[in-house]
Amino acid sequence: MTRDEALQLVHKYVKTDNSVKHMLATEAIMRALARHFGEDSKSSDGVNEEKWGLAGLVHDIDMEEVDYRNEPTKHGPRSIEILKENGLTDEEILNAVLAHNEALGGERGTKIEKAIHSVDPLTGLIVAATLVLPSRKLADVTVENILNRFKEKHFARGANREIIARCEELGLSLKEFCKIGLEAMQGISDELGL
């Protein structure tokens, strides 16, 4: 599946603009992480930037079909059905989609699985840190802004700090992880409307 095909599929299944923007942000950060780890040329585990990006782009494709707040274990398995029905069968991508959902309780053994798990809530924290600025622009957000907001328990409660902090399983400090994420989202700020 190409990136354009995946994006068309996202627009078919996800109608809420903010949800699509979250998926685009996740894609951008996943691509940036793949580049950071040198995964843009095939590595020994076969993961590359295109795969990492596709996993990020489609990871929440079922979010408007399942009640993930009340039945969290349905979020992910339905995505896999949708993706397979539409020709995406790459096991690394499918496993990453499942790995992002904490409620499924699966182990995250590969870098792509660990990355998407931590990236998912990071996008929300970065967006929230942006929206409290007078300019409401990603260009004005700093890594320090994000780290300060990370410490505030009641700020952006949906952005699970424990999961974000698992970036250390990737060998990244929280500061490095936030920097990569922020720069990736700043790179697509027009698409995100921020």
Side-chain angles (χ1 to χ4, degrees):
M1 178 175 288
T2 67
R3 196 262 179 189
D4 287 342
E5 291 168 337
L7 187 58
Q8 287 175 3
L9 200 59
V10 166
H11 285 295
K12 178 179 175 182
Y13 284 91
V14 182
K15 304 301 181 193
T16 308
D17 282 344
N18 284 342
S19 297
V20 172
K21 289 175 184 179
H22 163 67
M23 295 164 80
L24 290 169
T26 304
E27 173 194 23
I29 297 173
M30 290 294 290
R31 286 180 177 278
L33 284 169
R35 287 190 301 273
H36 174 80
F37 291 123
E39 305 283 5
D40 49 338
S41 61
K42 287 208 176 234
S43 67
S44 60
D45 61 5
V47 178
N48 62 40
E49 183 180 338
E50 191 64 25
K51 281 187 184 187
W52 283 48
L54 283 175
L57 182 59
V58 301
H59 80 283
D60 273 343
I61 201 157
D62 67 1
M63 71 184 326
E64 293 181 4
E65 282 197 16
V66 300
D67 182 2
Y68 63 92
R69 294 201 198 295
N70 293 316
E71 297 179 295
T73 58
K74 291 188 177 181
H75 179 48
R78 176 62 187 135
S79 290
I80 300 308
E81 292 171 5
I82 292 168
L83 295 170
K84 284 183 175 180
E85 288 165 6
N86 288 278
L88 197 157
T89 58
D90 185 295
E91 288 299 318
E92 287 177 289
I93 294 172
L94 298 176
N95 289 339
V97 169
L98 291 174
H100 95 274
N101 183 358
E102 179 84 355
L104 296 177
E107 272 192 41
R108 287 166 291 281
T110 65
K111 272 188 185 175
I112 190 173
E113 292 168 3
K114 291 174 183 178
I116 198 166
H117 182 63
S118 290
V119 167
D120 188 38
L122 178 64
T123 64
L125 182 63
I126 293 172
V127 168
T130 304
L131 295 177
V132 297
L133 294 177
S135 68
R136 300 171 65 96
K137 295 289 180 192
L138 273 165
D140 296 330
V141 179
T142 65
V143 172
E144 289 71 29
N145 293 139
I146 298 165
L147 293 173
N148 288 336
R149 295 298 184 173
F150 181 89
K151 295 173 191 171
E152 297 176 32
K153 289 184 180 182
H154 297 293
F155 181 81
R157 287 185 204 167
N160 187 312
R161 297 342 191 240
E162 183 181 319
I163 293 174
I164 294 171
R166 289 183 189 151
C167 63
E168 293 176 355
E169 294 176 11
L170 294 164
L172 294 172
S173 70
L174 181 61
K175 185 174 184 176
E176 290 171 313
F177 187 57
C178 290
K179 182 179 188 295
I180 292 168
L182 175 60
E183 289 174 356
M185 287 178 63
Q186 286 172 331
I188 62 162
S189 60
D190 288 345
E191 289 177 79
L192 300 177
L194 298 170

